Amino acid sequence: MTVHRGDHKALEVDSLVIGPGITALVGPNGSGKSTMLHAIAGLLRTTGSLSVGGRSPAAARRGVAYVLQAQHTSEQLLVTAREVVALARSAEIGAFRRLSGEDRRIVDAALEQLDLADLGGRHLAELSGGQRQRVFIAQGIAQRAPILLLDEPVAGLDATSAERIREVIEHERELGHVVVVATHDLAYAMQADHAVLLAGRVVAEGTPSEVLVPSHLREAYGERVLDLANSGPVAVDDGVHHHGAA
């Protein structure tokens, strides 16, 4: 599979299978992490072969929930947290159909899962950055999709929000879903079931202990890798994007 952004080849993948469990996409900025998520979600045209749940990305869209890295317009939207989460159900049943009792129960459960039950009536502008990110994670969960894509879901968040989101990701794993997380956090990536190290291509993939080793990290990050005797290799990437303060 090859993905171009304009005239630039953003990502080339010879062969890769992502199965149930948590897959961590790791690599420096511009390595293709977001590009891969966009391709799986059917948001980018690809050449070659890409199958999502045995179907084309376009045909598989309803089975994929994608939570973007940053919600730049979220502070300006005059909608409540509950309305944002409910949009996930509207996408399933159609924009002009009323939510059923079951749909409302799913929305309530997603809000509860992200510790947002008491904030459902609050507008996004009234919420902290961490709370807003949890709202969008809840929206993804409410889709009840077997494939969940997350782009830097906890970058720059407070410890409480980050921990809650990680617990939700673990729950999705326990359900047998496919969870693909783009992350700069190597310590978190080490806890995944599967790791894919990118640098415009797949440098290495497999278990985190096989992939996140100094030789592979140097190939992806260049000289931005430090070897610490007691802590293992640490990749230093200066261009990490963050959400607003929580």
Side-chain angles (χ1 to χ4, degrees), residues 35-57:
T35 296
M36 182 172 286
L37 295 179
H38 277 65
I40 295 171
L43 301 177
L44 285 176
R45 181 177 297 178
T46 65
T47 57
S49 176
L50 172 60
S51 173
V52 180
R55 297 178 291 172
S56 69

Side-chain angles (χ1 to χ4, degrees), residues 10-246:
L11 181 65
E12 187 170 30
V13 180
D14 289 333
S15 178
L16 178 66
V17 176
I18 297 176
I22 300 172
T23 291
L25 300 182
V26 182
N29 284 336
S31 62
K33 299 188 299 298
S34 295
T35 296
M36 182 172 286
L37 295 179
H38 277 65
I40 295 171
L43 301 177
L44 285 176
R45 181 177 297 178
T46 65
T47 57
S49 176
L50 172 60
S51 173
V52 180
R55 297 178 291 172
S56 69
R61 277 186 182 178
R62 287 202 171 187
V64 178
Y66 184 14
V67 181
L68 298 174
Q69 176 184 351
Q71 303 291 341
H72 297 296
T73 62
S74 62
E75 294 184 47
Q76 309 302 324
L77 293 177
L78 296 178
V79 292
T80 66
R82 183 180 178 81
E83 288 169 340
V84 170
V85 178
L87 286 173
R89 303 310 306 160
S90 296
E92 289 294 308
I93 66 174
F96 300 105
R97 294 181 58 185
R98 297 184 64 179
L99 297 186
S100 67
E102 177 62 17
D103 290 318
R104 289 191 290 272
R105 283 190 289 273
I106 290 173
V107 171
D108 288 340
L111 288 168
E112 182 71 33
Q113 205 172 350
L114 273 299
D115 289 338
L116 296 167
D118 295 335
L119 300 176
R122 300 268 296 274
H123 286 93
L124 291 187
E126 301 177 276
L127 303 180
S128 70
Q131 290 167 339
R132 285 195 300 274
Q133 182 65 1
R134 279 187 277 150
V135 168
F136 286 102
I137 297 290
Q139 185 188 62
I141 296 300
Q143 289 183 234
R144 295 289 177 94
I147 300 173
L148 178 63
L149 310 178
L150 302 166
D151 197 347
E152 294 286 352
V154 301
L157 299 189
D158 62 284
T160 299
S161 292
E163 180 60 26
R164 193 73 201 95
I165 289 171
R166 284 171 175 157
E167 289 173 359
V168 168
I169 292 172
E170 179 60 29
H171 180 65
E172 290 292 298
R173 174 184 176 275
E174 292 170 358
L175 292 175
H177 291 171
V178 175
V179 185
V180 186
V181 184
T183 180
H184 281 89
D185 187 339
L186 293 185
Y188 179 63
M190 283 296 296
Q191 301 172 38
D193 302 295
H194 180 217
V196 180
L197 180 60
L198 299 173
R201 59 186 176 81
V202 177
V203 174
E205 65 96 7
T207 64
S209 60
E210 294 170 335
V211 172
L212 304 178
V213 297
S215 59
H216 291 152
L217 291 171
R218 284 198 186 89
E219 190 174 346
Y221 287 88
E223 296 302 315
R224 290 173 290 178
V225 176
L226 302 177
D227 287 319
L228 302 182
N230 297 324
S231 302
V234 177
V236 179
D237 184 26
D238 296 331
V240 180
H241 299 288
H242 296 289
H243 296 287

